[in-house]
Amino acid sequence: MAEAKTSPSPKPAVDSPSRYYGKFAETAIRQMEAGTAPWQRGSKTGEPVLPRNAITGRAYTGGNSVYLASRGQDRGFSDNRWMTMDQIKKAGAQPPKGPGERVLVRAERNGQQPVWRTSIVYNVEQVKGLKLPPRRPRPYWQAHNNADAVIAASAVEIKTSPGDQAYYSKDRDQVVLPRPAQFRSPEHYYTTAIRNMAHASGHESRMDRETFKQTHSEGLEGAAHGREKMRTEIATMTVADRLGVGYEPHADPSYKELWIKALKEDPREMHRAASEGHRIARNLMRPARDQLRDIAREARTAVQASTERDPHEIPNPRPMPQRAAPAMSPGR
């Protein structure tokens, strides 16, 4: 009897999100193996890194933010601004050179469950004839005041210790940091504080994160610990970028293998980690929302009052919050 023929599995549709998930994980694994993924690379204070829309100025969020940062880096773009084909046409610019990148867009349906589709965006370096304002880095004082405000508004208690270890204690629900003078730079201080606050956000009294609970039940050698660290590292990078303060990646190389293993087991884990990392970042910044708005308003006023002055030289216009970094910050 002849053996029945089976038809090959259909390829994903061009607009299928599955292609996005696969390419996201593929890019992330390749970059992590090389040590060049966005959350493995540092950034300077005031330096814009994570992607924004070139026309609206809005930051891309969740998986789209990390995906475009990874793809832009992979393709050698130095500008973090992206735009759609419609925006390019409305700007009267030339058609983009080279392929775009797919991002996920939620399509609302009347009375039905929302569905996800993909949309294509292009980096501004692919487009000629654009008239865009120059990217202006945030002045040091604004970035550092932003970070001080977020740390001061922390939902978890932060205690200063005379030792040199920084960690989160679940038993005491407390972040422990060395004295500020122990840190080699303001960026090191801020990144370390934000990283531990990001992990503490998973506590049952706050976000009640599953990877947080599994990490503390399975121990540091478990797979959940790698997934939790990926989320908190992406959150740390995101908060640092939103505040304008420099980002220093985690120095422990052992996490790389845990991250790669998680993505090889499930390519969608990269998107989940990036999406949850963004939610953690919002959770950390929300308590300081009013203070951040005030600081931004003062920065605009200071720039308008002295357009020719070096932004690094603008004096600090507000008193430092209670948990301020030491007076070792350059440019203040």
Side-chain angles (χ1 to χ4, degrees):
M1 183 176 179
E3 188 174 317
K5 294 184 178 180
T6 57
S7 58
S9 300
K11 293 182 179 180
V14 172
D15 199 40
S16 170
S18 63
R19 296 185 63 186
Y20 162 90
Y21 295 127
K23 196 169 187 179
F24 195 174
E26 176 188 324
T27 301
I29 290 172
R30 184 173 65 254
Q31 290 181 343
M32 284 192 288
E33 287 176 338
T36 61
W39 55 95
Q40 292 175 301
R41 296 162 60 98
S43 62
K44 298 177 182 178
T45 293
E47 177 185 2
V49 176
L50 293 183
R52 290 182 176 271
N53 185 275
I55 303 302
T56 67
R58 286 185 175 182
Y60 287 89
T61 61
N64 288 337
S65 175
V66 181
Y67 176 74
L68 287 180
S70 298
R71 294 298 303 155
Q73 180 181 302
D74 220 29
R75 297 177 62 180
F77 298 137
S78 59
D79 200 306
N80 67 327
R81 293 174 293 181
W82 299 74
M83 57 198 306
T84 65
M85 182 63 79
D86 283 345
Q87 290 175 325
I88 293 172
K89 290 178 180 178
K90 288 179 181 178
Q94 298 178 22
K97 292 186 177 181
E101 296 294 342
R102 292 187 178 275
V103 293
L104 281 184
V105 179
R106 189 169 71 172
E108 302 289 348
R109 298 174 9 178
N110 293 333
Q112 300 182 39
Q113 189 75 13
V115 296
W116 291 95
R117 61 180 180 82
T118 61
S119 178
I120 299 178
V121 294
Y122 300 86
N123 188 272
V124 297
E125 293 182 11
Q126 297 176 261
V127 185
K128 290 187 177 182
L130 284 174
K131 295 181 180 179
L132 298 175
R135 295 182 300 168
R136 296 186 182 277
R138 285 195 179 124
Y140 274 58
W141 70 262
Q142 182 187 1
H144 290 174
N145 273 13
N146 284 343
D148 290 332
V150 168
I151 293 172
S154 171
V156 62
E157 180 186 7
I158 299 179
K159 179 182 177 182
T160 301
S161 167
D164 60 357
Q165 296 296 312
Y167 59 93
Y168 165 71
S169 170
K170 184 177 182 296
D171 293 338
R172 297 193 298 271
D173 189 28
Q174 183 182 80
V175 168
V176 177
L177 297 175
R179 291 193 176 108
Q182 294 285 95
F183 293 91
R184 60 181 172 268
S185 67
E187 290 73 23
H188 185 210
Y189 167 75
Y190 291 130
T191 303
T192 302
I194 293 167
R195 181 177 290 114
N196 282 279
M197 289 164 57
H199 178 53
S201 71
H203 191 272
E204 59 189 17
S205 65
R206 290 179 284 275
M207 298 183 73
D208 195 25
R209 193 163 49 251
E210 192 62 32
T211 52
F212 175 93
K213 292 186 287 187
Q214 291 176 353
T215 293
H216 287 276
S217 63
E218 297 176 7
L220 301 183
E221 302 301 322
H225 182 55
R227 295 197 300 273
E228 168 70 4
K229 288 300 297 182
M230 185 182 293
R231 284 156 172 75
T232 57
E233 199 61 29
I234 289 173
T236 303
M237 175 184 67
T238 301
V239 172
D241 186 81
R242 297 289 186 267
L243 301 181
V245 73
Y247 165 69
E248 290 198 9
H250 203 291
D252 190 342
S254 64
Y255 291 120
K256 181 175 75 172
E257 298 305 322
L258 292 174
W259 293 339
I260 293 173
K261 183 175 184 294
L263 297 193
K264 287 184 175 179
E265 290 176 352
D266 182 2
R268 294 197 178 208
E269 175 62 17
M270 187 65 247
H271 179 77
R272 284 194 292 266
S275 298
E276 196 152 22
H278 177 73
R279 286 193 290 272
I280 295 170
R282 285 190 304 179
N283 182 273
L284 297 185
M285 295 174 62
R286 188 178 296 116
R289 180 174 51 193
D290 292 341
Q291 294 95 317
L292 295 175
R293 188 181 298 119
D294 290 343
I295 294 169
R297 186 182 300 115
E298 290 168 355
R300 288 193 297 269
T301 301
V303 170
Q304 290 169 1
S306 182
T307 55
E308 295 183 359
R309 184 185 297 168
D310 184 338
H312 289 184
E313 297 175 358
I314 295 175
N316 186 344
R318 63 185 291 119
M320 301 303 292
Q322 185 177 358
R323 294 187 184 128
M328 60 178 178
S329 304
R332 284 193 179 179

